[in-house]
Amino acid sequence: MESLLKVEGLKKSFGGVAALRDGRFELAPGSVHALCGGNGAGKSTFLSIVMGIQKRDAGTIWRRGREVEFASPAEALASGIAIIEQELSPVPHMTVAENIYLGREPSGRFGGIDFKAMNRAAQDVLDDLEFDIHADQPMARLSVAQMQLVEIAKALSHDAEVIFMDEPTSAIGEREAQHLFSAIERLKAQGRGIVYVSHRLSEIFQIADSFTVFRDGAYVESGALKDVARPDLIRMIVGRELGEEYIKTNAPTETVGLEVEKLGSRGKIEDISFQVRKGEILGIYGLMGSGRTEIFDCLFGLDRRAEGRILLEGREVAIAKPADAMREGLALVTEDRKQTGLNLSDSVRGNIALASLPEMSPAFVMRGRDEAEASRSMIERFAIKAARDTMPVSGLSGGNQQKVVLGKWFLRNPRVLLLDEPTRGVDVGAKREIYRVICDFAAGGGTVVMISSEIDEVLGLSDRILVMRAGRSAGILDRAEASAQSLVHLST
């Protein structure tokens, strides 16, 4: 059977540093092929070269047996190759339909854009995927998760034969992911090929037929997924044995660290009440749009319309803005580190100091020695892999960027840690390091509230789980009684 796509010996270096030393890959028609590897393994470089975003130094690419070299993504798309990228790039002042058909808008009778036809075509794509989004909605009004769904719809609207999916579920919920998986099955039945990139191994084992592993910029192994066990795949990805995935070092105390009474925000969440003890990790689970992130917006002062009471160690506090929350010892790791967690144009050092600027620059002048010492201590504490702390934070892998976000907040010695999708887009090795940080913080007497779309993660880390549905609490489960079935049942 002729391959849809075949790649051999792909190489790419930047400034003498090899990002890809030996990229090899083969995609069969009617299959889902998982491209696996940790952050920095070379997957993104591989995809960008095949898509014509970057020029290769060496290697050969065949499309249905014919050697090709794409000079741009438009050329790749003309050859039937589309990509769903992990990094979103919406045009916020345009509608959903305008984003989906940007650059290929249907023309009307007099040469103008036929908006009616475009909206109808976009809505057909969204409805076929069972995504609850209106084609005429402005992109600026969508959540990060909804923007990800639009990106998926945009790629599938091209009717491509080969589709690269780079972390397509990193920002969406369980229900939307299942809709995507159903669409993938339909694409397979049509003979199309899917190259699926994800750090969520449970997804890979659910939908993929075959796998290829990259590590340190080079091909490691490939084969049928049914022939490999999860521990063996992890070992190929990280190059060593890893211990148990979720190691609980914390134990809840009797002291309540955070209490919330009747928290609400009109049209978003209503009547949310819970307690979290010191030493405890409270997980929050729910489908997209259930109100999970809105709880954090209220707690951290991002939602000015919030109502209800917030108590820290029994003392009611007034939080009207993030500065109030920070003063009370709250820290918020947002779901999108690149949009709201980091200043990508600044250095690693500058980002670590970002939440502590008032303390480090009392006279509006940064104390350079304090900033450097703070940066050094957090880099050591979180084992951040950076050539130097003055390098741009944008040059780090996803896992190391997330550690910088954690370092930024831990520099303030928080009492309550609010984590929204703390391991989104990071590899299995970095995940375990972040899990250790979370559990150790709780074990030291800290209070943790964690939102996650990954059921395994919520079940593995949480002492109790608050389930959200349609802006309200659907129940709180103890660790012993919680299961994947119970979470899904309460959330739907």
Side-chain angles (χ1 to χ4, degrees):
M1 185 185 297
E2 185 180 55
S3 300
L4 294 179
L5 182 69
K6 185 176 180 180
V7 182
E8 287 188 355
L10 215 59
K11 295 183 180 180
K12 181 66 178 179
S13 295
F14 299 96
V17 179
L20 194 62
R21 297 182 288 114
D22 179 19
R24 285 185 258 161
F25 189 88
E26 188 166 3
L27 177 66
S31 71
V32 177
H33 195 118
L35 180 57
C36 307
N39 293 120
K43 305 187 303 298
S44 295
T45 302
F46 176 85
L47 295 180
S48 66
I49 291 173
V50 175
M51 285 300 300
I53 299 170
Q54 294 177 348
K55 187 176 178 62
R56 62 183 180 262
D57 296 336
T60 310
I61 303 171
W62 292 273
R63 174 78 172 95
R64 279 198 171 275
R66 182 175 63 88
E67 188 173 336
V68 294
E69 180 172 2
F70 304 126
S72 68
E75 289 188 12
L77 194 56
S79 180
I81 304 176
I83 186 169
I84 298 168
E85 296 188 86
Q86 180 182 359
E87 305 304 333
L88 305 179
S89 53
V91 183
H93 64 274
M94 288 185 172
T95 66
V96 169
E98 288 170 328
N99 271 266
I100 289 176
Y101 286 99
L102 187 62
R104 52 196 180 102
E105 299 86 352
S107 297
R109 290 178 57 188
F110 303 104
I113 298 174
D114 189 340
F115 287 99
K116 187 175 180 179
M118 182 172 65
N119 285 342
R120 185 168 57 247
Q123 195 64 58
D124 286 344
V125 175
L126 293 164
D127 291 345
D128 188 54
L129 289 166
E130 300 181 19
F131 293 164
D132 187 18
I133 298 174
H134 296 294
D136 57 357
Q137 283 182 274
M139 287 293 289
R141 295 184 184 176
L142 301 186
S143 67
V144 172
Q146 289 173 316
M147 288 180 186
Q148 180 71 74
L149 297 180
V150 173
E151 192 71 23
I152 291 168
K154 180 178 180 179
L156 298 186
S157 72
H158 285 285
D159 200 33
E161 189 177 40
V162 174
I163 303 170
F164 293 147
M165 297 188 175
D166 191 1
E167 299 284 355
T169 64
S170 63
I172 65 178
E174 190 81 15
R175 181 171 58 187
E176 291 72 29
Q178 293 305 318
H179 292 330
L180 173 61
F181 297 160
S182 296
I184 288 173
E185 288 299 323
R186 294 196 295 272
L187 294 170
K188 279 177 57 178
Q190 296 167 9
R192 306 193 207 189
I194 311 295
V195 181
Y196 197 86
V197 181
S198 177
H199 292 307
R200 298 180 175 181
L201 297 185
S202 58
E203 290 183 356
I204 288 173
F205 280 96
Q206 179 181 347
I207 66 166
D209 304 295
S210 52
F211 73 93
T212 291
V213 175
F214 284 4
R215 188 174 67 243
D216 298 329
Y219 168 89
V220 174
E221 193 169 333
S222 61
L225 207 57
K226 63 180 176 60
D227 296 332
V228 65
R230 182 183 176 114
D232 295 327
L233 184 61
I234 291 173
R235 186 172 60 252
M236 292 180 211
I237 292 170
V238 302
R240 65 185 190 280
E241 295 282 357
L242 285 180
E244 187 181 347
E245 193 159 4
Y246 303 104
I247 300 175
K248 294 280 287 179
T249 58
N250 66 296
T253 67
E254 296 300 320
T255 305
V256 175
L258 170 68
E259 184 172 2
V260 172
E261 294 181 355
K262 297 186 178 301
L263 194 68
S265 178
R266 189 172 302 173
K268 298 177 182 178
I269 58 173
E270 183 180 353
D271 197 25
I272 306 297
S273 299
F274 59 84
Q275 291 182 341
V276 195
R277 292 169 289 173
K278 287 187 172 185
E280 183 178 24
I281 300 173
L282 176 73
I284 299 181
Y285 179 78
L287 303 179
M288 189 181 76
S290 63
R292 304 172 310 173
T293 296
E294 286 76 8
I295 293 176
F296 282 3
D297 288 346
C298 292
L299 291 177
F300 206 70
L302 293 169
D303 188 336
R304 300 292 178 89
R305 298 181 302 170
E307 56 190 28
R309 299 176 71 217
I310 302 171
L311 296 92
L312 295 174
E313 298 179 26
R315 178 177 59 88
E316 185 172 359
V317 295
I319 298 177
K321 55 186 182 297
D324 298 334
M326 293 164 64
R327 187 173 58 252
E328 296 292 348
L330 274 68
L332 172 62
V333 175
T334 58
E335 65 176 325
D336 190 338
R337 60 178 170 271
K338 296 201 173 185
Q339 291 293 326
T340 55
L342 295 168
N343 178 0
L344 293 177
S345 63
D346 203 354
S347 65
V348 173
R349 179 189 296 184
N351 273 274
I352 288 174
L354 200 56
S356 304
L357 291 178
E359 292 81 6
M360 291 192 182
S361 53
F364 302 102
V365 177
M366 176 62 74
R367 293 199 295 250
R369 183 177 298 178
D370 291 350
E371 184 188 27
E373 174 57 28
S375 173
R376 183 196 61 77
S377 66
M378 291 299 112
I379 286 174
E380 289 182 359
R381 179 171 181 175
F382 293 103
I384 298 170
K385 296 181 177 64
R388 59 192 184 283
D389 71 353
T390 54
M391 70 176 288
V393 74
S394 58
L396 301 185
S397 68
N400 283 299
Q401 286 182 348
Q402 193 71 340
K403 291 179 187 177
V404 170
V405 175
L406 289 167
K408 173 184 73 174
W409 289 115
F410 272 72
L411 189 61
R412 296 188 58 84
N413 295 313
R415 294 188 291 165
V416 177
L417 199 55
L418 307 177
L419 303 167
D420 196 348
E421 303 287 4
T423 64
R424 178 189 169 199
V426 305
D427 64 51
V428 64
K431 275 187 176 184
R432 294 185 187 216
E433 293 180 43
I434 291 171
Y435 295 156
R436 176 187 56 78
V437 168
I438 295 170
C439 286
D440 286 353
F441 174 78
T447 301
V448 179
V449 187
M450 179 192 73
I451 295 170
S452 178
S453 298
E454 295 189 50
I455 288 181
D456 290 347
E457 187 169 84
V458 172
L459 293 172
L461 285 180
S462 305
D463 298 295
R464 289 181 303 133
I465 302 170
L466 166 65
V467 182
M468 292 291 295
R469 183 178 66 235
R472 300 179 69 98
S473 170
I476 297 179
L477 301 175
D478 289 329
R479 181 179 177 85
E481 64 179 330
S483 65
Q485 292 76 14
S486 62
L487 294 185
V488 171
H489 173 72
L490 284 175
S491 64
T492 56

